[in-house]
């Protein structure tokens, strides 16, 4: 049985990917910050919600389609932005963009990605969303926006939970740094994982050279082994609501804030004129000890005007997880690590299989819940899972 056919679930992909990837790459993809509490909480919160399914409803013709920002997507699952994905698969950004396009789901280009956004746009009929790590500096923001307008990016996603780099102790222990630095430990790690060294490391170096900070600012930046001009995180700690209001006046496309966890921030976002928010704690990779995005979701939904799309990410590994978020009012669920696990295990085919797993699980579980469309996935179908009563 091939590696790919052994993987029947996203968890299977994760286990297989952890075997293939060098420890420092595994640590980068899978890890969280400090004690990993935000990461654990996202998974636990999904288990704390159970279904209350309905029976005897005709469910023969189901559709998981969703309309968002003038597009119809095949299901309420999209690819979240994941920086440095080139260390998981050669030209991973391109593979993710194409797989998303074929599956008719949204794909968000990361500001820390390495295939130029213009090339990704070209490959996908100009459908990619773009995620920005913005400095609190209007001149620099304006230059990036000019590039995004030129590339006809339809949706600009501004990440608001990374004003400073988080305390990623696991990466310090594995000597993984940004900018990327070769150390004897990293070389040894690569040698112990020959498949990765050949398929990813050597193929990338020989094919296109050291990946670059291609999409961080207004032009293609230096290789990821060097600090970009103004620094990777330069002036991010100065970003404020004033900048968001300025962007709203100067960006004609859709504007989304990612990393909204507080109802008041959701309200401020709506007042600033954004078109949507993504409830997220950055996959447990920024502030540790956060409540789960799933727990934050209902308050955010209640805080924004009806009809303003509220999206969510963090810990979604099953179609049933996605449906729980939909029942709580999410318009779209984004995944970060799952498609990277797919890429590590099976390249293009791996990413596509992960996407297909979500599609098929959503369809099956909609039927088992008694739902034909996502509009049928209503809050009454879920309830908190209570601890068993003592005898
Ligand atoms: C390897 C990796 C890189 C990431 N890079 C970015 C990024 O460049 N920009 C961003 O806004 N979020 C980034 N994130 C966070 C994801 O967009 C998303 O919020 C998170 O992964 C969702 O959790 P999940 O991985 O459990 O699905 C990254 C996450 C991972 C795992």
């Amino acid at each position: 049985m091939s590696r790919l056919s052994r993987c029947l679930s996203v968890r299977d992909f994760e286990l297989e990917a952890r075997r293939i990837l060098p420890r420092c790459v595994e640590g980068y993809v899978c890890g969280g910050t400090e004690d990993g509490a935000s990461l654990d909480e996202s998974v636990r919160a999904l288990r704390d919600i159970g279904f209350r399914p309905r029976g005897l409803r005709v469910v023969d013709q189901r559709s998981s389609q969703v309309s968002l920002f003038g597009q119809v997507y095949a299901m309420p699952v999209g690819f979240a932005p994941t920086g440095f994905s080139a260390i998981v698969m050669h030209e991973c950004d391109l593979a993710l963009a194409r797989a998303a396009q074929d599956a008719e789901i949204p794909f968000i280009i990361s500001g820390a990605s390495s295939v130029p956004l213009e090339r990704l746009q070209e490959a996908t009929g100009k459908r990619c969303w773009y995620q920005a790590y913005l400095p609190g500096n209007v001149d620099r923001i304006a230059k990036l926006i000019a590039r995004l307008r030129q590339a006809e990016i339809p949706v600009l996603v501004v990440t608001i939970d990374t004003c400073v780099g988080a305390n990623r102790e696991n990466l310090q222990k594995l000597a993984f740094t940004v900018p990327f630095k070769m150390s004897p430990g990293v070389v040894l790690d690569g040698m112990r994982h020959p498949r990765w060294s050949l398929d990813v490391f050597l193929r990338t170096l020989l094919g296109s050279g050291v990946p670059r900070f291609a999409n961080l600012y207004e032009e293609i930046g230096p290789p990821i082994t060097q600090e970009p001009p103004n620094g990777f995180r330069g002036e991010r700690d100065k970003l404020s609501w004033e900048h968001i209001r300025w962007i709203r006046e100067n960006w004609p496309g859709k504007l989304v804030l990612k990393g909204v966890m507080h109802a008041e921030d959701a309200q401020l976002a709506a007042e600033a004129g954004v078109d949507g928010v993504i409830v997220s704690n950055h996959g447990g990779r920024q502030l540790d000890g956060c409540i789960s995005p799933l727990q934050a979701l209902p308050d955010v939904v209640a805080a924004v005007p009806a009809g303003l799309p509220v999206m969510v990410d963090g810990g979604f590994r099953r179609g049933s997880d996605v449906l729980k978020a939909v029942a709580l009012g999410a318009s779209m669920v984004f995944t970060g690590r799952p498609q990277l696990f797919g890429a590590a295990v099976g390249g293009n085919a791996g990413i596509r299989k992960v996407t297909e797993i979500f599609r098929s699980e959503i369809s099956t579980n909609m039927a088992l819940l008694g739902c034909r469309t996502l509009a049928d996935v209503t809050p009454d179908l879920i309830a908190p899972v209570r601890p068993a009563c003592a005898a």
Side-chain angles (χ1 to χ4, degrees):
M1 220 187 208
S2 76
R3 227 183 259 279
L4 205 56
S5 46
R6 272 205 302 273
C7 293
L8 302 181
S9 67
V10 173
R11 294 271 174 231
D12 292 341
F13 271 100
E14 173 170 359
L15 292 176
E16 202 68 42
R18 282 179 182 268
R19 270 195 282 272
I20 294 168
L21 295 172
R23 286 187 60 224
C24 62
V25 179
E26 176 197 359
Y28 169 68
V29 172
C30 301
T33 41
E34 296 184 354
D35 299 319
S38 294
L39 196 59
D40 295 345
E41 183 57 18
S42 300
V43 176
R44 203 190 55 74
L46 280 158
R47 296 234 167 94
D48 283 353
I49 294 182
F51 288 118
R52 208 166 14 203
R54 302 294 304 265
L56 295 178
R57 290 177 160 186
V58 177
V59 288
D60 61 335
Q61 296 202 345
R62 297 181 302 284
S63 163
S64 57
Q65 279 189 345
V66 55
S67 293
L68 187 62
F69 302 145
Q71 286 286 325
V72 177
Y73 294 109
M75 60 174 165
V77 174
F79 289 169
T82 49
F84 306 105
S85 64
I87 61 170
V88 172
M89 176 190 168
H90 174 63
E91 296 206 317
C92 190
D93 302 315
L94 197 57
L96 292 171
R98 287 191 176 132
Q101 160 87 352
D102 292 348
E104 297 172 47
I105 61 172
F107 164 69
I108 312 181
I109 301 170
S110 159
S113 55
S114 52
V115 174
L117 62 93
E118 291 78 5
R119 200 170 149 215
L120 298 171
Q121 280 289 72
E122 210 50 56
T124 57
K126 307 203 166 165
R127 296 264 175 78
C128 301
W129 303 14
Y130 170 85
Q131 172 266 327
Y133 281 134
L134 292 179
N137 177 324
V138 166
D139 291 341
R140 291 176 58 200
I141 296 173
K143 287 183 186 148
L144 174 64
I145 282 190
R147 178 177 176 191
L148 302 180
R149 288 183 75 156
Q150 181 75 28
E152 296 179 53
I153 292 284
V155 183
L156 168 59
V157 179
V158 178
T159 295
I160 66 163
D161 56 18
T162 46
C163 50
V164 293
N167 185 14
R168 297 199 187 164
E169 289 164 12
N170 76 319
L171 294 187
Q172 286 178 44
K173 287 180 188 156
L174 293 164
F176 186 100
T177 55
V178 175
F180 189 75
K181 281 198 186 62
M182 271 296 184
S183 67
V186 169
V187 173
L188 199 66
D189 201 358
M191 281 162 59
R192 288 196 179 119
H193 296 82
R195 184 181 145 174
W196 177 87
S197 295
L198 284 176
D199 287 0
V200 183
F201 187 73
L202 277 181
R203 192 163 166 217
T204 301
L205 275 192
L206 298 177
S208 40
V210 179
R212 291 179 169 268
F213 288 102
N215 299 320
L216 197 52
Y217 301 130
E218 71 272 19
E219 56 194 27
I220 299 199
I224 59 169
T225 46
Q226 292 170 30
E227 190 72 38
N230 300 309
F232 179 59
R233 297 198 171 84
E235 295 187 283
R236 276 197 219 164
D237 53 359
K238 293 184 184 149
L239 190 70
S240 73
W241 288 105
E242 255 173 62
H243 297 105
I244 300 301
R245 284 189 282 271
W246 183 90
I247 294 168
R248 180 66 295 175
E249 280 168 21
N250 292 277
W251 170 251
K254 300 291 180 195
L255 178 61
V256 169
L257 297 192
K258 173 174 184 280
V260 173
M261 289 288 285
H262 197 293
E264 269 179 38
D265 278 351
Q267 243 163 11
L268 287 170
E271 281 162 23
V274 308
D275 299 291
V277 295
I278 304 179
V279 181
S280 167
N281 63 21
H282 214 105
R285 299 162 77 83
Q286 282 298 112
L287 178 64
D288 201 28
C290 279
I291 61 169
S292 68
L294 200 73
Q295 187 184 342
L297 179 62
D299 288 342
V300 170
V301 171
V304 299
L308 191 98
V310 176
M311 299 157 272
V312 67
D313 74 25
F316 293 87
R317 301 293 180 264
R318 290 274 183 193
S320 55
D321 295 340
V322 173
L323 293 173
K324 288 174 187 177
V326 170
L328 287 171
S331 309
M332 180 65 71
V333 168
F334 285 97
T335 57
R337 295 176 182 89
Q339 58 271 20
L340 297 183
F341 297 145
V345 174
N348 287 306
I351 299 169
R352 282 160 205 268
K353 185 155 180 192
V354 164
T355 311
E356 175 52 26
I357 286 172
F358 274 110
R359 197 206 56 75
S360 135
E361 288 182 354
I362 287 173
S363 176
T364 302
N365 289 313
M366 281 177 68
L368 294 172
L369 278 170
C371 300
R372 265 180 145 161
T373 70
L374 292 180
D376 300 333
V377 183
T378 43
D380 57 294
L381 297 180
I382 54 169
V385 175
R386 302 202 189 286
C389 297

